[in-house]
Amino acid sequence: MSTPPPRRESLPAPPPRNGTPVQNFIDKHVNGHAGGRSSTSTPPSRPSSAASHRRSLTISKGHTVSVVLISSALETIAASREAKRSAPLRESVQRALEMVKAGQGGDRPREIFEPLRLACETRNEKLMIASLDCISKLISYSFFVEHSSDAQPLPSPPLSPAPTSRNSLSNGSQVNLPSISLVDVVVHTITSCHSENAPETVSLQIVKALLALVLSSTILVHQSSLLKAVRTVYNVFLLSTDPVNQTVAQGGLTQMVHHVFTRCKIDHPTLHSIDSSITLHSKADVASSYSTSTPPRDSVSLPPQSPPVERPVSLAYSEQTASTLVNEDEFKARGSTNGYDQEEEPHESLDIRSEYSGNGHVPEGSHHAPPHREPSEYGASEAAHDEDHDASGRQLSANDLFIKDAFLVFRALCKLTMKPLNSESERDLKSHGMRSKLLSLHLVLTILNSHMALFVSPSAVIYSSSTHEATSFVQAVNQYLCLCLSRNAVSPVLQVFEISVEVFWRVISGLRTKLKKEVEVLMHEIFIPILEMKTSTLKQKAIILGMLQRLCQDPQVLVEIYLNYDCDSEAVDNIYEHLMNIISKIGTTPISQAQQRANDPTSPGLPPTTKIHQRGSVPPSLSTTALTGPGSSDASQPVLSEQQLRRQGLECLVAVLKSLVAWGTNSSTDNPPDTARSNVGEDIRKDSVTPDVASDKMSAPLSADPTRQPTPDGTDDPSKFESAKQKKNTLLEGVKRFNTKPKRALLIFLQGIQFFIETGFIPSNSSQDIARFLHETDGLNKAMIGEYLGEGDEENIVIMHAFVDQMDFRNLPFVDALRTFLQGFRLPGEAQKIDRFMLKFAERYIAGNPQTPFANADAAYILAYSTILLNTDAHNPQVKRRMSLQDFIKNNRGINDGTNLPEDFLTSIYQSIVTNEIRMKDEVESATPVVTPGPGLVGALANVGRDLQKEAYVMQSNNMTNKTEALFKTLMRSQRKGSRSSEHFFSASHFVHVRPMFEVAWIPFLAGLSGPLQDTDDLDIVEICLDGFKNAIRIVCFFDMELERNAFVTTLAKFTFLNNLGEMKTKNMDAIKTLLDVAVTEGNNLKGSWREVLTCVSQLEHMQLISSGVEIPDAGRKSRVRKPPTEELANESRSTHITVAADMVFSLSHYLSGTAIVEFVRALCDVSWEEIQSSGLSQHPRLFSLQKLVEIAYYNMNRIRLEWSNIWEILGEHFNQVCCHNNPHVGFFALDALRQLAMRFLEKEELPHFKFQKDFLRPFEYTMIHNSNPDIRDMVLQCLQQMIQARVGNMRSGWRTMFGVFSAASKVPTERIVSSAFELVTRLNKEHFTAIVRHGAFADLTVCITDFCKVNKYQKISLLAIAMLRGIIPIMLNSPDCGFNASADDSNRSIDDPMIKFWFPVLFGFYDVIMNGEDLEVRRLALDSLFTTLKSYGKTFPVDFWDTVCQELLFPIFAVLKSSQDLSRFSTQEDMSVWLSTTMIQALRNLIDLYTFYFETLERFLDGLLDLLCVCICQENDTLARIGTSCLQQLLESNVKKLSPARWERVATTFVKLFRTTTPHQLFDESLRVEIDGNVSDLPDSPETNGQAIVPAPLSPNEQQKNAKVSVNDRRRIFRQIIVKCVLQLLLIETTNDLLRNDEVYNTIPPEHLLRLMGVLDHSYQFARMFNEDKELRTGLWKVGFMKHLPNLLKQESSSASTLVHVLLRMYYDLRPEHQAARPQVAERLLPLGLGVLGDFNKLRIDTQLKNIAAWTPVVAEILQGFVRFDDKAFARYLPAIYPLATDLLSRDMSPEIREGLRDYFMRVGYIQGIMDRS
């Protein structure tokens, strides 16, 4: 049974009941012809099986029609003259008639057929028609079906019964035909009836009979008989002169071919495709199978009794008409033009090898082991198949034979297409050659259109008779199909070219997965060059563009072209990228003026010249009447203009973009394309050249083949292809580097080679690897290779030797070897370089060819050099006198080791070079000869009638064909070696590939779309361009390609011409519409390109205003008068489309994604600012975009808070900017818009702890701060007042910003603004205090009030604000929201929480005013308020909060004393001095008072206070120091009873620290006494000593400078510090004295700490005494200007001694136990001190030291009184030391107190010594 009929579009299978359409047509035309008898009734229904047909006559005995059917024909034969003349004929007819009439012929078909066969051989027209008609009807009844019992399997072809002559019937019986199948005999009989002179009626019957036979589902015709039948119908088509016959034959042939392919069954294997494992053995082997006139017969030969086959008569004619020959040897091996001979075709061996042959594995898709013989070795009838077995006993299936039949027919048709046309045939479409080529091409196309499934099916396998192996169908037909294309796709005949392109389209769309390299070769070598060639016609380019457009309908094809060629480093070209560049170039080619003047039609592209049939449709009629006459093959076609071609290029470019959109954007959301897109919708839209593709949806794509296998590795990994593409780009970059020829060529070459090594293309830097790379890498410039290898460096020479060593010159003639050698590189011009090359060549040549005429390598070297010179001499046009043969022989005389080389050898070299220049293949291919007309009249006449462009094209196309076929041969050779890894085809399934595809081609896309858009006003073309822009932007947006997106959107925006309204045209208005459409559809991905879109929307509104007559201010462009747009465009700008689209841009913004809306708002803000800036100070500024921003905010206010925050971050910043614009009209509008938005926003409830309101209202604060316009500031306050009135209930975090606005208002210099703001604050504090506290704005309220306190210009407001701040405290304490009334044991509440939240802001407010208030009265009030508040409420403060108060508020008041950084808040030194002398001093006293008041609480902070006092005391300003010591004294005296021993220790430590800090050790620094420049005595007093200003200046620590050189300024600074320290030390001594003379202090302080104080006093005394005694030191200091008089420390010495004496004596006589315990230590200090003082006093001179005497007198008196009080024992012990000193005192003038002391002393001495009584 045959396969089911194909789909509706396909050629229908012949209807079994009523005959085929062609048969019916024949019946209609044959009626009425001589001898033509046609049955009037139709044959009965055909039974369902062959078995039921075996005895058809027997079964149908009752049907008279069947008997009449046979008997009428037999009777006609019997009645003819031929029957009477020929006994065999007569006898066979008689016998047959008898059998029929007896009803016995049904089971003996051969005997019935015999008279019909013999009748056909009579050549009588009437008998032939009758016989053929009878035969065809018997075929319809399956009459000729035989079974194994009826016939034996024999080799084909079947033989004619006549041994010598066609018409001779040797014995008139069937004896000679016992073993030839009946089907073969029938085929042979029918085909033998045709000859070139056969009557038309006979030809028709032949076609009818053969068609019935081939289409029969029960009588199966195979191989040789099938080919005979096909050939015969083919020859009828060619040789018949009747158009009807030609049409019938063409139709019959089409049906036959269709049936042959339809009956092949296709199984779908479950495993991998067979094509990955089955390869063609060799094209060369296949070619050899028909390169000899005796085809191989393998194991079966023709039987010896078979008579030789005769060539039919038609072949006599066919020897003159090559087109009738179906099987001419393409490689001319036979030297004959005859091709489709009977003895050739059936036995052509297909030499096929399988990779599985080595291990015996059965290839996938076959159902049995590969047979050892071809099916053609067996009989061609089905009867023979039952006996068909291979050598292993396996049966060959009928389907295998069907597939082999299909292959043979396809191969024959391909060979027919390859026949060359002579120039006459090219011009005449009616010629046999042209019709043959067209028909065969159409049939090939029909097969590809209808039966692609067979080609790609892995189960379609052909078994070879020579190698017994299998190959897939597609690999078997591969070479023939490719050669068919390579020879016809370059044809200058448009009809041939067009069908060839159609065939190629089918190959790409259906077979690209199987023929990867072949498609690459055809594209790169033929179709792309034709698109680029100047000599190819516009029609040819248009046809190829049409094919590419149709390819775009299946996006997968485009993507796979990119993946398999552009991403494959082994592919020579980036085909996809190259195509895009070409198409773009075609679409933008400038049109010549002649073309522009022509009135071109605007229809899309030129329709195809021949209506190429789509899949399943019938090919166009190729009868002689249907084709145009000679010389006018193109006359009927409309001329294609350059403009139409440009348009088609543009359409193709847009089709590519649509295709990429369909693949990239749809696939990402749908199923993977491999499953979602692989529906087998191979039908293409019938007529449209531009694919009708929506940008979002593709129609069912033209998928390649239904059984398409996925990528073998199962994954489509975009990253792999990306890295592969990167690798290829790297390689191309390296090639480009290498090929560059700058001045420093060698350096660049080395860099190029190094680049290849670094990137891994050259494995290592070994000479072998580099040489191999130079050999194998395509694209390297041969001249650059020559330069590189020719360099004289050792490294280059080594590489050159390796390069030559990799060439093989074995068994090559000398010149051929030299030619091969010079193909690898271009020989440099320098003699030295040539010399090196020739030396190596000679060495290599001799090594490979020992049997040569050369005696040694020298001879070969000299001859090679000489040959190069000859080549230059013979072919350089600049050489005048050419070298002759004798000159050449003479030049080479004696070079062969002293002898001559053979003369014939030299002659052959000479002839070879002169006739065939040594040129590089690349140069030959690139140097296409252009036929140029000769000069003058002669040249003009010679070129009359010549088509020079066509001649040049033909020459180029021949080169292309030759190169392509050479590449195919190389390809087959590599496939034969079993390496197909590089042909691994990747199927696309991932949408991500579109991104790199667009990246490599976006520049051509942009150029191709923008060029025509700029140049043309044709709205159709404009529409196409804009459609392209839409699709391109869709891609760049989808894949987020920033650079490309900016380029396309910017370009489209420029085309709107909105910035140049006077030049605007309709197309620019279309561009506006497109841009708006893009904005609406692609908004989520426009990102930064929103700026361009929104600028255009703004300009559009600007245009609408201008066209409405509104005057628009345009700052900065006043000098240029702008033309308004035309009325038509102005109206169009207000059209519904544009208005709605522009509105949708904004109204649909709430549909944008969270990230997109941010980009959108940012861009709109930028555009808005540009509008406002352009308006200057106009009273009517442009606020379109600002208004839109307000709308956007309205539309998007309901977004989630996260998104809204991002939007408002940008919007708020913009409102900040706009509200502060120097044009008040802008500010008023913006503030009002902001107020409206705020009103709307405040309607939304805000949850606690969020700050959306705060952020939203912040622009009001910013405006208040930064806009100096009082009216604007006033409006801000009005806006807030309205909000308070209307929305105060919803106010949450907005309170905080509101108080920020009022704070800012407090700093404004305008009184009404300050007053208004203060009034608002006062009202809020009064009316909404609870809400303010509840929503966390209490601190902001206090800060705001504090700011009003600091208003210096309006004291009234400041004083009111201070009062308000004080007044807040009771309200705060009573407010339940503040939490002060909560129970004390509420452990869930943080203790610090209300203190920090409420108390601290109030206290900090006072502190802030103290520190920063400018008004003294305000500061005083704040200071009082602070300390009064602390005193009043401090008892409720937790200790932790006191800690905070001290550290954050109290101590920082005095930070100015520690750090000069804190001085920056004072504008002038005077301000600082006033603050220090008033506020700070009062603050310090208040602080001491506060400590005294809360000493128990604050005792823990005593250390901090003491440190503070230390800092205050240790200042260079004595005023501050005195205040510090005074406060220290006050602190101690006030709290003396509260100090614990530990605290006393801290106090003692403080004093120790103070004394040490203030001791002027630098007085003893020798470097200060060195004179500088000899003139330093007149140093002025420093201003600080004048006491005019108080400046804090902490003392620097004592620094010992040894051997350091001191400058004048440094010494002055040091002297100043020394004096200050001396003063401070004295001040400390006085303070200590005052404290210790205070009985309460003395009685409280522990004795050990008293002793520590005595220690520092003693140190101070000793230091002063040492200084005073060193007169040299003092004199030195005086000399260098330390003081104006001699320096001394008298007061320090005497004061410290006085205090020491007093305290030590008091301690000595203190009766408390702890003091008594310390008495030895006291005595240890007291006695040396007293003795020393007395001794020093005695030395004072009365004449010069009266001041000293006066200072020491009270001290001496006290010492004497103290000694007097010693007890007797002690007095007696110390008497020897004291008595002499007391005696010395008597010699001096004494004051009364000393005299009295002496008196007491001497009395005590008298008592102790017994001199006097104690009475």
Side-chain angles (χ1 to χ4, degrees), residues 9 154 187 204 284 340 369 408 825 836 1046 1294 1413:
E9 306 94 326
L154 270 186
V187 172
L204 266 178
Y340 206 176
L408 293 173
F825 60 95
R836 283 193 288 273
N1046 290 340

Side-chain angles (χ1 to χ4, degrees), residues 766-1049:
S766 71
S767 57
Q768 297 294 328
D769 287 336
I770 295 174
R772 189 174 299 108
F773 177 80
L774 294 176
H775 269 299
E776 295 173 355
T777 305
D778 290 325
L780 292 178
N781 189 315
K782 302 290 187 184
M784 295 298 108
I785 295 176
E787 292 285 348
Y788 177 71
L789 297 177
E791 289 296 330
D793 294 349
E794 183 179 346
E795 183 182 353
N796 294 66
I797 293 173
V798 171
I799 294 171
M800 184 266 283
H801 285 184
F803 182 84
V804 179
D805 286 338
Q806 289 173 9
M807 293 180 168
D808 187 7
F809 302 134
R810 286 176 297 180
N811 304 322
L812 282 179
F814 182 77
V815 175
D816 290 352
L818 191 57
R819 289 183 192 278
T820 303
F821 176 61
L822 294 177
Q823 287 304 316
F825 60 95
R826 191 183 225 302
L827 202 60
E830 296 175 39
Q832 288 180 334
K833 293 181 178 179
I834 297 174
D835 183 68
R836 283 193 288 273
F837 276 117
M838 291 303 113
L839 278 169
K840 181 60 185 173
F841 165 74
E843 179 261 319
R844 180 71 177 155
Y845 181 74
I846 294 299
N849 297 280
Q851 305 298 322
T852 58
F854 301 112
N856 51 36
D858 281 342
Y861 155 67
I862 295 170
L863 182 60
Y865 208 112
S866 180
T867 305
I868 295 298
L869 294 177
L870 171 64
N871 190 65
T872 304
D873 180 272
H875 299 286
N876 191 328
Q878 295 179 350
V879 175
K880 303 291 185 207
R881 180 183 172 279
R882 307 284 184 194
M883 188 188 299
S884 66
L885 174 59
Q886 294 309 315
D887 293 337
F888 181 66
I889 294 172
K890 181 180 177 183
N891 288 347
N892 292 292
R893 194 165 290 154
I895 65 171
N896 198 19
D897 201 13
T899 64
N900 293 335
L901 288 165
E903 194 167 313
D904 56 344
F905 177 61
L906 294 176
T907 303
S908 67
I909 291 175
Y910 180 85
Q911 295 298 336
S912 174
I913 296 298
V914 170
T915 56
N916 183 11
E917 180 186 2
I918 298 179
R919 293 177 71 186
M920 303 189 68
K921 287 179 184 175
D922 297 349
E923 292 177 356
V924 175
E925 289 160 8
S926 61
T928 307
V930 178
V931 184
T932 55
L937 182 62
V938 177
L941 291 173
N943 288 298
V944 170
R946 291 177 66 189
D947 186 344
L948 299 180
Q949 181 183 347
K950 185 174 181 181
E951 289 178 26
Y953 172 77
V954 169
M955 296 179 79
Q956 279 181 287
S957 63
N958 287 337
N959 285 336
M960 285 158 54
T961 301
N962 294 335
K963 185 177 180 185
T964 305
E965 293 188 9
L967 285 170
F968 280 140
K969 285 181 183 177
T970 308
L971 186 60
M972 286 299 154
R973 205 173 299 123
S974 68
Q975 289 178 356
R976 186 172 67 230
K977 292 174 183 174
S979 169
R980 288 185 67 88
S981 58
S982 64
E983 295 185 40
H984 181 81
F985 192 89
F986 295 96
S987 291
S989 63
H990 212 293
F991 71 95
V992 175
H993 299 307
V994 170
R995 182 191 178 104
M997 289 176 71
F998 194 86
E999 280 176 340
V1000 300
W1002 74 269
I1003 294 177
F1005 284 147
L1006 184 58
L1009 294 173
S1010 56
L1013 188 55
Q1014 185 169 2
D1015 298 340
T1016 186
D1017 292 332
D1018 182 339
L1019 293 184
D1020 286 343
I1021 292 178
V1022 168
E1023 185 180 355
I1024 296 169
C1025 291
L1026 293 176
D1027 192 25
F1029 268 103
K1030 268 189 191 177
N1031 286 287
I1033 292 171
R1034 177 84 190 275
I1035 293 168
V1036 294
C1037 287
F1038 187 84
F1039 290 101
D1040 192 19
M1041 301 158 74
E1042 184 178 7
L1043 174 65
E1044 293 83 351
R1045 184 189 65 237
N1046 290 340
F1048 277 92
V1049 177

Side-chain angles (χ1 to χ4, degrees), residues 1230-1248:
L1231 278 174
D1232 189 56
L1234 197 56
R1235 178 189 59 78
Q1236 294 176 44
L1237 284 175
M1239 288 290 200
R1240 167 84 190 279
F1241 188 77
L1242 289 173
E1243 291 174 2
K1244 301 172 68 173
E1245 185 179 358
E1246 183 178 80
L1247 295 174

Side-chain angles (χ1 to χ4, degrees), residues 1349-1422:
C1349 295
K1350 293 186 287 185
V1351 174
N1352 62 325
K1353 287 180 68 175
Y1354 316 112
Q1355 191 188 55
K1356 179 184 175 184
I1357 292 176
S1358 301
L1359 295 174
L1360 287 172
I1362 283 279
M1364 189 193 298
L1365 193 59
R1366 273 204 313 266
I1368 277 182
I1369 296 171
I1371 301 172
M1372 170 186 79
L1373 293 175
N1374 294 324
S1375 170
D1377 292 296
C1378 295
F1380 290 107
N1381 299 328
S1383 58
D1385 58 352
D1386 185 1
S1387 58
N1388 294 329
R1389 181 174 58 83
S1390 167
I1391 296 173
D1392 270 349
D1393 190 42
M1395 307 305 297
I1396 296 297
K1397 274 180 73 176
F1398 302 107
W1399 265 119
F1400 186 79
V1402 175
L1403 298 175
F1404 187 84
F1406 292 132
Y1407 162 78
D1408 191 16
V1409 178
I1410 293 166
M1411 299 300 286
N1412 300 303
E1414 294 188 25
D1415 189 275
L1416 179 59
E1417 179 63 17
V1418 172
R1419 287 205 305 267
R1420 186 189 65 72
L1421 273 173

Side-chain angles (χ1 to χ4, degrees), residues 734-752 781-788 791 826-830 833:
V735 169
K736 184 178 176 183
R737 284 195 194 187
F738 185 85
N739 291 346
T740 309
K741 189 175 184 182
K743 293 176 183 176
R744 301 169 64 198
L746 177 60
L747 178 62
I748 297 297
F749 297 151
L750 294 175
Q751 288 177 353
N781 189 315
K782 302 290 187 184
M784 295 298 108
I785 295 176
E787 292 285 348
Y788 177 71
E791 289 296 330
R826 191 183 225 302
L827 202 60
E830 296 175 39
K833 293 181 178 179

Side-chain angles (χ1 to χ4, degrees), residues 250 417 437-447 495 499 503 610-613 619-620 622:
Q250 182 183 346
T417 66
K437 186 176 282 286
L438 288 175
L439 178 60
S440 52
L441 280 170
H442 272 297
L443 288 172
V444 168
L445 180 56
T446 300
I447 292 168
Q495 289 84 346
I499 306 170
V503 170
T610 306
K611 189 68 178 177
I612 302 297
H613 49 294
L622 298 174

